[in-house]
Amino acid sequence: MYSLISFLSVCFPTAEVYIDPWLSLVEGLAFCSFFLLLRDYVCPNIDQREVFFATKKTSGVKWFRIRWFMVFQMPIVALIVSIATDVTAAVGIYCRWSFMPHFAKFWLRLIQIISLVTAVLSILQFYHFLKTDLAQRRPLLKLIAFKIIVFLNFIQGILFWVLTDIGALKETDTLTFADLHIGIPNLLVCIEMVPLSLFFLWVYSWRVYINKNSHGSCIAMDRPGQRSRLYQGGPLGVHAWLTMIKPSGIIESILVVSGRNLGEDDRVDNQPLNPNR
């Protein structure tokens, strides 16, 4: 998705100001998916999840839900900021190339940065607190895998800014302003995503999901009482692809947090543990 948005920016440079903000929404959804992955790593069984966090620390369930909220605010904020960016750009008060506070870009970017830092700190706290439980899953490497493209894009932006400032890169008869500031940087992102996609295949290996004992069938980790079913994503994996882009899981997770009173979790934390739960 990141490379697709970058490719569209190359194809439609005049619309880049409207396309680029949606990268933050993609990043926010990726953060949420990563957080859910960590959650399933430490406790895949839904029925045991509250007990698991309650045994980890005092008010552990509340702690977990607060971290959950801190992560899942990011796609909501990103969606609002993306829409606001498109609207302010359309009415001429955004100013793509200025960070002056009297333009909308300054404030929208500030909100975006605060949201991003909040989500990153929450995930790092979650990892640090459950480092022992996650040791075999290489979570930091997985986090680096999808953050490295953002880091490379940041470094790339600084490099282009320096080269432009010293005159090493400048407009010519064959290079326009859009080429230097939109086309080439986004084209490099598309190229960089090729080796990074191979890195993703290694870090997020599908081999860990192979059920060697059931010959193509499986039992869902969070539904241990269910009957085993075929472990197949449909023809050419089409069902798996559709599930990947289906937003219902993220939406349900956001609704769970927003619709649940965090104060109720104190009762769970203070209840005596039921070993049969």
Side-chain angles (χ1 to χ4, degrees):
M1 185 62 71
Y2 206 101
S3 56
L4 175 61
I5 293 178
S6 298
F7 178 72
L8 291 175
S9 297
V10 174
C11 296
F12 308 102
T14 56
E16 189 266 351
V17 66
Y18 303 103
I19 299 173
D20 183 73
W22 296 94
L23 285 174
S24 61
L25 178 59
V26 174
E27 187 178 1
L29 294 175
F31 263 104
C32 292
S33 298
F34 181 71
F35 182 80
L36 293 177
L37 179 65
L38 295 184
R39 179 205 63 182
D40 287 344
Y41 278 162
V42 296
C43 189
N45 193 319
I46 293 177
D47 297 329
Q48 295 292 329
R49 195 163 290 154
E50 289 186 346
V51 175
F52 173 82
F53 285 101
T55 58
K56 285 294 180 178
K57 64 180 297 182
T58 304
S59 299
V61 178
K62 177 183 285 189
W63 177 90
F64 167 67
R65 290 190 176 277
I66 291 175
R67 297 310 174 281
W68 188 324
F69 177 80
M70 290 169 65
V71 173
F72 278 87
Q73 54 77 29
M74 187 177 174
I76 299 175
V77 172
L79 177 62
I80 296 173
V81 169
S82 298
I83 295 174
T85 299
D86 288 354
V87 172
T88 54
V91 299
I93 59 173
Y94 179 74
C95 194
R96 173 71 171 84
W97 309 109
S98 174
F99 277 99
M100 299 300 293
H102 53 270
F103 289 115
K105 179 180 179 179
F106 176 86
W107 300 104
L108 292 174
R109 186 59 61 87
L110 179 62
I111 294 172
Q112 191 177 60
I113 291 173
I114 293 173
S115 175
L116 173 62
V117 171
T118 301
V120 171
L121 289 179
S122 179
I123 287 181
L124 291 178
Q125 288 175 348
F126 189 86
Y127 162 73
H128 180 73
F129 179 63
L130 298 168
K131 184 186 298 185
T132 304
D133 302 272
L134 292 167
Q136 302 299 321
R137 302 292 188 170
R138 301 183 301 179
L140 280 184
L141 190 61
K142 289 178 168 61
L143 178 62
I144 291 172
F146 77 83
K147 286 300 295 180
I148 191 172
I149 184 60
V150 179
F151 175 75
L152 288 176
N153 199 24
F154 174 73
I155 297 298
Q156 183 176 286
I158 294 177
L159 180 61
F160 270 85
W161 175 73
V162 171
L163 292 176
T164 303
D165 190 59
I166 64 176
L169 281 178
K170 54 186 177 181
E171 299 175 42
T172 66
D173 294 337
T174 56
L175 283 177
T176 65
F177 180 88
D179 292 331
L180 293 176
H181 297 275
I182 299 175
I184 295 177
N186 282 285
L187 180 61
L188 287 176
V189 170
C190 295
I191 296 173
E192 291 160 359
M193 285 303 296
V194 176
L196 286 177
S197 64
L198 300 177
F199 182 54
F200 260 79
L201 287 177
W202 175 65
V203 174
Y204 291 91
S205 175
W206 53 269
R207 297 181 184 277
V208 298
Y209 301 103
I210 295 178
N211 192 329
K212 298 180 180 179
N213 299 321
S214 58
H215 303 289
S217 64
C218 72
I219 299 175
M221 295 175 65
D222 59 349
R223 296 287 189 272
Q226 284 187 348
R227 183 180 303 175
S228 63
R229 53 191 173 84
L230 289 178
Y231 198 62
Q232 171 64 30
L236 301 178
V238 64
H239 295 164
W241 283 102
L242 292 175
T243 300
M244 180 188 68
I245 63 176
K246 185 171 64 174
S248 59
I250 299 294
I251 294 174
E252 288 173 3
S253 298
I254 294 173
L255 293 177
V256 165
V257 176
S258 61
R260 180 81 174 265
N261 185 351
L262 294 178
E264 295 176 358
D265 297 325
D266 288 333
R267 295 196 292 271
V268 177
D269 288 318
N270 296 325
Q271 285 178 354
L273 297 182
N274 181 359
N276 297 321
R277 185 175 177 180

